[in-house]
Amino acid sequence: MSSRFSSTLTAQCQNCSLSALCLPIALADEDITRLDQIIERKKPLKKGEFLFRQGDAFDSVFAVRSGTIKTFNITSLGEEQITGFYCPSELLGLSGIDTNTYPISAKALETTTVCEIPFTHLEELSSQIPSLKHQLFKLMSRKISDDQQMMVLLGKKNADEKIASFLLNLSNRFKKRGYSASSFRLSMSRGEIGNYLGLAVETVSRVITRFQSNGLVHVDGKEIEILDFNEMQKLIGAPAVCDKIACI
Amino acid sequence: MSSRFSSTLTAQCQNCSLSALCLPIALADEDITRLDQIIERKKPLKKGEFLFRQGDAFDSVFAVRSGTIKTFNITSLGEEQITGFYCPSELLGLSGIDTNTYPISAKALETTTVCEIPFTHLEELSSQIPSLKHQLFKLMSRKISDDQQMMVLLGKKNADEKIASFLLNLSNRFKKRGYSASSFRLSMSRGEIGNYLGLAVETVSRVITRFQSNGLVHVDGKEIEILDFNEMQKLIGAPAVCDKIACI
DNA sequence: CGGGTAGTTGACGAGGGTCAAACTATGTGG
DNA sequence: CCACATAGTTTGACCCTCGTCAACTACCCG
């Protein structure tokens, strides 16, 4: 047990830079220590490696420490459908609780480290620490709200709005953990963006190119800089109106 | 408190026909009794009445006892986006936990009765009854999985597949609670179906009409009968292939 | 009986998917 | 370090699905 504290993977919740965003939010110091004791740090995943596979027995949820994870499921036709991208401090795997089996696969988009949190331990601990239990409920509740926003996006929005929403969403997530909100690196490919947003690769490429020529963003491969937040926001908020303004 | 037991709304979890599907699953009899004591039965909602509104303070989750509830949010453009339909035994309102505010509105599609479950009580009780806590986690986990399936549907499927998925999904839900899987009543309008699935009303109408002329279903207003489950299933599973078969 | 809402059907066009080809990165092994 | 293979990206051309607009019908309720 204590051996891991002497390894190179010893980062603890207490001194983890993500603790203000991650599961430990709103926990007392002593409670964080107890949480910390059930968490295992895994050795880094290389790009393309699986964290877990659809159908695997569910036993843990994971917090991303660095890198990015994508989750996806394989449809009956064998094609992959991406259901989410997970950045540092974000928790994944919660959808496995229901059936005791992960309903999705999770794969690293780049070199990625995660904290593994065995769920039975977490559940036990949550009985003893009410604020942890509440925190878990909140996290799952937020996931439900977020997914519903995503449903709106997929069902109602056009390609421009989808891409703008996607970029601003990433921007917010980077900002929240102290990185630049305007300039960042897309760890996923255009194909993966398209898959996630329900668009063809070509459409993603075309829209991003058009955003660039309209001065909304500056793109260089996977590097992206958002130049005009205002206009991007408008694209999301008021599509029809915005379209007209943009066309004048 | 005990007065409600003498009212006309006294149905209790113990003798509720939905207990095998609803929150009480997997609870011991005495635990069901304790759960039962925090649940309030509300007087029926008439068609069009709100159960709660987007922005209202969150304090309860609700189980539908009879009727149907739709949840939706109002977009920045003022249009409504339906995020779900809730049938008897299904729980709604969980998305309010995160912000202590309902992020969606809930409205009755027909005369509907619900059980109100004050969340703070439920959370307290869940500390004392581990299986109830687990049940709650499972419910939220399932919601997350289901929503992800919905995201796949919205992002990847065409109009035929969307409608077929929707109808089979309803069919399964009716079957699960002992009603006919093949013949039921759509409590929502065509417009609401379209809104939910990201389709125009006209498309919904056309697809359903075409399903009927292809012998997949029989429709009479809101009454629908699924005639060919096999073909419907194929529509969902293997779109391209299926299309070709249907066109021969 | 008239007016309002919900549903159906047709005509048309735009948005975005598909196919194809060129171009650019990123490896990988000799 | 270069040649080649492979994957990812961009761009153009074409076409299909589905949204929009409009007219018409059916139905419900006062």
Side-chain angles (χ1 to χ4, degrees):
Chain A
M1 256 297 166
S2 68
S3 71
R4 69 185 175 81
F5 290 110
S6 59
S7 80
T8 55
L9 305 170
T10 53
Q12 295 159 255
C13 288
Q14 282 98 332
N15 49 36
C16 173
S17 63
L18 298 170
S19 64
L21 301 165
C22 190
L23 205 48
I25 297 180
L27 294 196
D29 279 357
E30 57 182 78
D31 291 335
I32 293 183
T33 307
R34 294 163 77 189
L35 172 62
D36 196 56
Q37 275 158 14
I38 68 168
I39 294 180
E40 300 167 26
R41 276 80 199 176
K42 305 190 70 168
K43 70 169 196 296
L45 293 165
K46 285 201 285 285
K47 178 175 176 170
E49 283 184 329
F50 281 90
L51 179 56
F52 52 78
R53 289 167 191 265
Q54 193 167 344
D56 282 358
F58 166 80
D59 37 37
S60 297
V61 297
F62 299 89
V64 178
R65 284 181 55 77
S66 67
T68 320
I69 297 277
K70 73 169 172 184
T71 54
F72 58 95
N73 58 24
I74 304 297
T75 68
S76 45
L77 293 168
E79 33 167 340
E80 125 180 2
Q81 165 65 46
I82 296 174
T83 56
F85 298 110
Y86 294 83
C87 298
S89 87
E90 294 172 349
L91 218 61
L92 68 154
L94 291 165
S95 56
I97 299 170
D98 180 39
T99 59
N100 258 306
T101 288
Y102 294 107
I104 49 175
S105 297
K107 201 182 215 180
L109 289 181
E110 56 193 326
T111 303
T112 297
T113 54
V114 299
C115 297
E116 175 168 5
I117 313 170
F119 188 70
T120 40
H121 290 173
L122 183 59
E123 204 176 6
E124 276 167 27
L125 198 58
S126 76
S127 299
Q128 298 158 32
I129 310 175
S131 59
L132 177 61
K133 176 165 53 77
H134 190 68
Q135 180 63 11
L136 269 171
F137 281 136
K138 277 188 69 159
L139 271 168
M140 297 185 77
S141 171
R142 168 150 6 172
K143 175 75 179 150
I144 294 171
S145 302
D146 288 351
D147 284 354
Q148 276 168 355
Q149 285 309 308
M150 188 65 193
M151 285 165 48
V152 175
L153 182 140
L154 288 169
K156 285 269 184 302
K157 305 204 174 177
N158 64 24
D160 285 19
E161 299 169 86
K162 285 181 179 178
I163 305 259
S165 299
F166 178 69
L167 294 177
L168 287 184
N169 177 275
L170 280 184
S171 165
N172 280 331
R173 286 152 75 183
F174 284 122
K175 187 177 174 186
K176 203 170 286 173
R177 68 186 64 92
Y179 296 118
S180 167
S182 60
S183 189
F184 48 90
R185 190 172 165 284
L186 300 169
S187 48
M188 64 296 290
S189 71
R190 303 288 193 269
E192 286 165 330
I193 296 174
N195 183 303
Y196 179 58
L197 297 176
L199 296 172
V201 201
E202 296 92 327
T203 306
V204 175
S205 181
R206 273 187 261 264
V207 171
I208 292 184
T209 304
R210 185 153 36 78
F211 279 4
Q212 169 145 253
S213 47
N214 290 348
L216 293 184
V217 301
H218 177 77
V219 195
D220 177 22
K222 292 196 179 303
E223 295 296 330
I224 189 159
E225 187 180 357
I226 300 178
L227 299 172
D228 191 341
F229 275 93
N230 250 331
E231 207 57 38
M232 292 278 274
Q233 210 74 53
K234 274 194 220 162
L235 259 180
I236 294 173
V241 180
C242 206
D243 238 297
K244 273 153 202 161
I245 291 172
C247 287
I248 289 171
Chain B
M1 258 296 162
S2 70
S3 70
R4 67 182 174 84
F5 291 109
S6 60
S7 80
T8 53
L9 304 169
T10 52
Q12 293 160 256
C13 288
Q14 282 98 329
N15 50 34
C16 173
S17 62
L18 298 170
S19 64
L21 300 165
C22 191
L23 204 50
I25 296 181
L27 294 197
D29 277 358
E30 60 182 75
D31 292 334
I32 293 183
T33 307
R34 293 163 76 191
L35 172 62
D36 196 58
Q37 273 157 16
I38 69 167
I39 294 181
E40 299 167 27
R41 276 81 198 174
K42 305 189 69 168
K43 72 168 194 295
L45 292 165
K46 285 199 286 286
K47 178 174 176 170
E49 282 185 330
F50 281 90
L51 179 56
F52 52 78
R53 288 167 192 265
Q54 193 167 342
D56 282 359
F58 166 79
D59 37 37
S60 297
V61 296
F62 299 88
V64 178
R65 285 181 53 79
S66 67
T68 320
I69 297 277
K70 72 170 173 184
T71 56
F72 57 96
N73 58 23
I74 304 298
T75 69
S76 46
L77 292 169
E79 32 167 341
E80 125 180 2
Q81 164 65 46
I82 297 174
T83 56
F85 298 109
Y86 294 82
C87 298
S89 86
E90 295 172 349
L91 217 62
L92 70 155
L94 291 165
S95 56
I97 299 171
D98 180 40
T99 59
N100 258 307
T101 288
Y102 294 107
I104 49 176
S105 297
K107 201 181 214 180
L109 290 182
E110 54 193 328
T111 303
T112 298
T113 54
V114 298
C115 297
E116 174 167 7
I117 313 170
F119 187 71
T120 40
H121 290 175
L122 183 59
E123 204 175 6
E124 274 168 31
L125 198 57
S126 77
S127 298
Q128 299 158 30
I129 309 175
S131 60
L132 177 61
K133 175 165 53 78
H134 190 69
Q135 179 64 10
L136 267 171
F137 281 136
K138 279 188 68 158
L139 270 169
M140 297 184 78
S141 171
R142 165 149 8 170
K143 175 74 180 151
I144 294 171
S145 303
D146 288 350
D147 283 353
Q148 277 169 355
Q149 286 308 309
M150 189 64 194
M151 285 165 48
V152 175
L153 182 141
L154 288 169
K156 285 269 184 301
K157 305 204 172 175
N158 63 27
D160 285 19
E161 299 169 87
K162 285 181 180 178
I163 305 259
S165 299
F166 178 70
L167 293 177
L168 287 184
N169 176 275
L170 279 184
S171 165
N172 280 331
R173 286 152 74 184
F174 283 122
K175 186 178 175 185
K176 202 169 287 172
R177 69 184 64 90
Y179 295 119
S180 166
S182 59
S183 189
F184 47 91
R185 189 171 166 284
L186 300 169
S187 48
M188 65 296 290
S189 71
R190 302 289 193 269
E192 286 164 332
I193 296 174
N195 183 303
Y196 179 58
L197 296 176
L199 296 172
V201 201
E202 296 91 329
T203 306
V204 175
S205 180
R206 273 187 262 265
V207 171
I208 293 184
T209 303
R210 185 153 37 78
F211 279 5
Q212 169 145 252
S213 47
N214 291 348
L216 295 184
V217 300
H218 177 77
V219 195
D220 177 23
K222 292 197 179 304
E223 295 296 329
I224 189 158
E225 186 179 358
I226 300 179
L227 300 172
D228 191 341
F229 275 94
N230 251 332
E231 207 57 36
M232 292 279 275
Q233 209 75 52
K234 275 196 219 160
L235 259 181
I236 294 174
V241 180
C242 207
D243 238 299
K244 273 153 203 158
I245 291 171
C247 287
I248 290 172

